[in-house]
Amino acid sequence: METTEKRQRGRPRAFHGPSDAASVQSLDRALRILAIVADGSGLSLSEIAAQSGLPASTAYRMLTTLENHGMVEFDSTDQLWSIGVETYRMGAAFLRRRKLVDRARTVMQELMEKTGETANLGVAEDDCVVFVSQVETHQAIRAFFRPGTRSSFHASGIGKAVLAHLEPERVGAILRRAGLERFTEKTLSDISALARDLVTIKLRGWSVDDEERHPGMRCVAAAIFNEFGEPIGGVSVSGPTVRVTPERLAEIGPLVREAATEITRMIGGLPPPSSPSRAAEPGSLFEIGAARSP
């Protein structure tokens, strides 16, 4: 009964579910355009209209409305639309909810100094990892992920670190929905290979993205946990393979794992149980038929 009352406080009494929500077409279109602008680095009206599938006149009305609210900005010189400062402010409000970024910053800075490579922070979404913060190395050649960059679970260090600590049913659902796209020759797009890697990751506490997303780049990551011991994201170190060599993994891995443990503690999280769960069983992913190679 209490659950029903709490849900009713967030919606009007006349709300009848998806059929009512589907009628707000203009809001849906505006949010679609906002997402397109956010993914671009300055887009023309024709580009936005083409990507959204809307007439240019409709897209323009949506853009001007968003501009009035500071959600997008228009450069009259280049005639390009880009994301506005108000969108960043709203996104920052989400991050403040857990204060994850602020509290992780010091740990990431120390991790970058200890390893000499770029430190990254990512959070787990429904079907991908979203990078939310980065502390760049001072090296001339370095990894760079702008805040908001998305990466597939199976092809990122943080993503695999998260998957390794989930129950097999959750892993299967995620991989069925997102698929196992092959980005490089080393991408683990085969469910058997991925399952074996997840077992190893869970046992040692850190993962390796060995050129599985970007050729020439290697990443070492570990999961961050919430107050329920659930993985909510991770911290990683990434750099070119000429510096992040296989010989250095044994040195970097424990440092990343320690950083993730410290961030978990700082946000009031709990480390995962020390006893292996079903997610660590080699055959668990095969039994549920989690995904198939494309």
Side-chain angles (χ1 to χ4, degrees):
M1 192 66 179
E2 291 180 359
T3 303
T4 303
E5 290 177 356
K6 287 181 180 178
R7 288 179 178 172
Q8 286 177 345
R9 290 175 188 150
R11 59 179 59 160
R13 293 183 180 276
F15 183 82
H16 298 296
S19 58
D20 282 14
S23 65
V24 191
Q25 187 182 62
S26 59
L27 178 58
D28 180 72
R29 289 176 171 178
L31 291 174
R32 193 192 322 163
I33 285 177
L34 186 62
I36 291 170
V37 175
D39 285 340
S41 299
L43 298 173
S44 66
L45 174 60
S46 58
E47 289 173 326
I48 296 170
Q51 291 186 41
S52 65
L54 298 172
S57 58
T58 302
Y60 180 73
R61 287 197 301 271
M62 299 291 175
L63 286 166
T64 54
T65 301
L66 291 170
E67 183 184 25
N68 290 337
H69 289 275
M71 307 295 288
V72 299
E73 297 176 352
F74 180 64
D75 186 331
S76 57
T77 302
D78 296 329
Q79 296 288 297
L80 298 177
W81 294 89
S82 58
I83 204 69
V85 67
E86 190 66 16
T87 306
Y88 173 80
R89 188 187 69 80
M90 290 183 178
F94 165 76
L95 298 177
R96 284 197 304 271
R97 188 175 68 187
R98 298 204 62 88
K99 298 183 178 178
L100 175 60
V101 173
D102 291 341
R103 296 184 181 184
R105 193 73 182 176
T106 301
V107 178
M108 294 170 63
Q109 182 70 37
E110 293 176 353
L111 184 60
M112 184 277 288
E113 292 171 356
K114 288 178 181 178
T115 63
E117 301 298 340
T118 296
N120 313 287
L121 183 69
V123 296
E125 295 290 344
D126 289 340
D127 56 0
C128 68
V129 171
V130 179
F131 289 92
V132 295
S133 184
Q134 185 176 68
V135 176
E136 292 186 65
T137 179
H138 303 300
Q139 301 277 2
I141 301 175
R142 56 187 183 270
F144 175 74
F145 302 99
R146 68 175 183 176
T149 298
R150 296 170 177 264
S151 186
S152 301
F153 274 107
H154 73 288
S156 71
I158 292 178
K160 292 196 297 179
V162 169
L163 290 180
H165 292 281
L166 293 176
E167 291 298 315
E169 291 83 2
R170 284 281 308 280
V171 176
I174 289 170
L175 298 182
R176 279 195 298 270
R177 184 168 59 247
L180 291 169
E181 182 177 352
R182 190 175 186 86
F183 297 100
T184 74
E185 292 182 355
K186 293 190 174 183
T187 302
L188 300 182
S189 56
D190 176 74
I191 188 60
S192 303
L194 179 60
R196 288 192 294 270
D197 195 29
L198 296 184
V199 172
T200 301
I201 292 166
K202 185 176 177 67
L203 292 175
R204 73 185 174 198
W206 48 274
S207 67
V208 178
D209 164 8
D210 187 11
E211 300 184 84
E212 295 160 35
R213 183 63 179 85
H214 299 287
M217 299 299 294
R218 192 171 279 129
C219 170
V220 183
I224 296 169
F225 301 86
N226 64 13
E227 63 272 26
F228 304 108
E230 301 166 337
I232 59 170
V235 63
S236 69
V237 161
S238 54
T241 53
V242 293
R243 291 201 306 266
V244 184
T245 61
E247 293 74 23
R248 288 196 66 201
L249 295 180
E251 166 203 343
I252 296 174
L255 292 175
V256 175
R257 183 181 59 204
E258 290 169 9
T261 299
E262 178 62 12
I263 295 171
T264 294
R265 184 193 65 78
M266 294 173 75
I267 65 172
L270 295 174
S274 55
S275 59
S277 70
R278 289 191 301 131
E281 296 174 7
S284 59
L285 290 183
F286 312 118
E287 292 169 5
I288 62 175
R292 294 287 182 271
S293 301

